[in-house]
Amino acid sequence: MDIRELRYFAAVYRERNLTAAARRCFISQPSISAAITNLEAELGTTLFIRHKKGMAPTESAAQFHSIARRIIDEADAAKNLFRKPVTQKALTLGLLRTLDQARTIALLKPLTGNADLALRLVGAGEKADARIVARTMIGASEHFIPLWSERYVAALPPSHPLTLKETLRTTDFAGVPMIDRCHCEQQDFFKHTAPPRKPVAIAESEEWAMALVAAGVGVAIVPEGVARGNPDVAVRAIEIDVRREIGLAYSSAKPPSDALKEFIASLPRQQAKRSARAARGKAKPT
């Protein structure tokens, strides 16, 4: 086995999907599939169960993952051990506070893995070279690269009576203890479309909101990625189809820096193509 196969294995283990893992590693799906097959043959065990929706890791994969991850990290540390200091490119990135952990890690990994880049993170409203924000937050002089779209859902304590329903109506929340979130982009919308709310707590972060839900304090309306990333809460759809589109916003008044160009190039290819079309359309004379 070689380090590339271990990296491909780690990507499949994380994504649970060959196509997504191949996209993350910037290689073709057959290549990553062949690497997994080679690893299984060399280890003499089955690492993943293939099914229609993706790849389910086996117990062997779970055992092997910690070893593979340690080898990958040590290889990266060794590669950087004797690297001579260079003049670093600087990139200041503003982050929306309501991003879920999994997507935030995926976005920042290409940046933190670049020893030639000095990365600085600030709030979404602070001065930055680019911002990861909702489309509704971009200014008139900003380009916007769509990254993903997600709906809002209800996060409930697992034993809550509303979990007996697959889809919840706004009337279902009447009199229900609710957990409000300080940084919700759709807070005003939900306040105006729902029956009188009964807020019992205000969470300053997504993690705190999910902790309060898991503890049985109340119900929260959150972006789906936030709820799905927490195994201690139940998730239900709501009848109002409210979505947010998250993307990379940057100034159209000046050309992007080399560091920003490299970051844009690291984004999923299909999104980069869509963003190029959007940028060209926005650049047309008015």
Side-chain angles (χ1 to χ4, degrees):
M1 69 184 71
D2 60 36
I3 193 67
R4 284 180 300 177
E5 290 179 338
L6 295 182
R7 293 186 190 279
Y8 299 163
F9 161 77
V12 176
Y13 188 88
R14 177 182 178 79
E15 299 291 345
R16 305 295 203 264
N17 182 279
L18 282 175
T19 301
R23 189 163 56 239
R24 172 182 287 274
C25 297
F26 299 102
I27 61 169
S28 66
Q29 182 174 322
S31 297
I32 208 164
S33 181
I36 298 301
T37 300
N38 291 341
L39 268 180
E40 291 180 325
E42 189 168 354
L43 293 171
T45 187
T46 299
L47 296 174
F48 297 97
I49 303 298
R50 282 77 167 168
H51 56 85
K52 291 182 179 180
K53 293 185 178 181
M55 305 281 281
T58 63
E59 185 177 345
S60 296
Q63 293 176 325
F64 183 60
H65 181 258
S66 60
I67 298 173
R69 190 67 260 172
R70 185 168 63 250
I71 294 172
I72 293 169
D73 291 341
E74 289 180 352
D76 289 341
K79 184 173 61 177
N80 294 326
L81 184 60
F82 302 107
R83 177 172 290 189
K84 295 180 180 179
V86 296
T87 301
Q88 290 184 313
K89 301 172 184 176
L91 179 65
T92 300
L93 188 63
L95 287 183
L96 188 63
R97 293 192 182 188
T98 57
L99 300 179
D100 61 89
Q101 291 185 2
R103 288 192 175 108
T104 301
I105 292 171
L107 280 171
L108 297 182
K109 267 290 187 180
L111 299 177
T112 58
N114 183 357
D116 298 335
L117 179 68
L119 175 64
R120 178 171 175 261
L121 300 178
V122 298
E126 299 180 54
K127 184 178 180 181
D129 299 309
R131 308 182 299 146
I132 304 295
V133 293
R135 181 184 284 275
T136 54
M137 300 171 62
I138 64 173
S141 60
E142 285 184 302
H143 287 313
F144 184 75
I145 300 178
L147 296 176
W148 71 84
S149 176
E150 61 184 336
R151 62 178 179 170
Y152 281 79
V153 296
L156 307 100
S159 60
H160 198 284
L162 289 180
T163 59
L164 299 176
K165 296 185 176 184
E166 288 300 317
T167 301
L168 302 179
R169 298 180 176 180
T170 54
T171 53
D172 290 327
F173 299 110
V176 173
M178 302 294 294
I179 297 168
D180 285 342
R181 297 155 47 243
C182 290
H183 306 289
C184 178
E185 305 82 27
Q186 299 288 352
Q187 188 168 238
D188 290 338
F189 175 84
F190 287 119
K191 284 183 177 179
H192 291 131
T193 56
R197 300 167 62 83
K198 183 183 177 183
V200 293
I202 299 178
E204 295 187 358
S205 69
E206 305 304 272
E207 293 78 10
W208 188 234
M210 292 301 93
L212 294 178
V213 171
V217 174
V219 175
I221 305 298
V222 298
E224 187 170 20
V226 172
R228 297 289 184 192
N230 192 307
D232 298 321
V233 305
V235 180
R236 293 294 180 270
I238 54 179
E239 66 172 354
I240 303 175
D241 187 16
V242 183
R243 294 178 177 271
R244 69 173 186 177
E245 187 173 26
I246 301 296
L248 179 74
Y250 62 97
S251 174
S252 59
K254 61 180 180 180
S257 65
D258 290 341
L260 181 54
K261 288 179 182 177
E262 291 176 7
F263 179 46
I264 293 173
S266 75
L267 299 175
R269 295 177 185 178
Q270 60 186 31
Q271 302 293 356
K273 290 179 181 178
R274 194 193 317 171
S275 68
R277 291 195 297 268
R280 285 197 298 269
K282 196 166 185 178
K284 291 179 180 180
T286 57

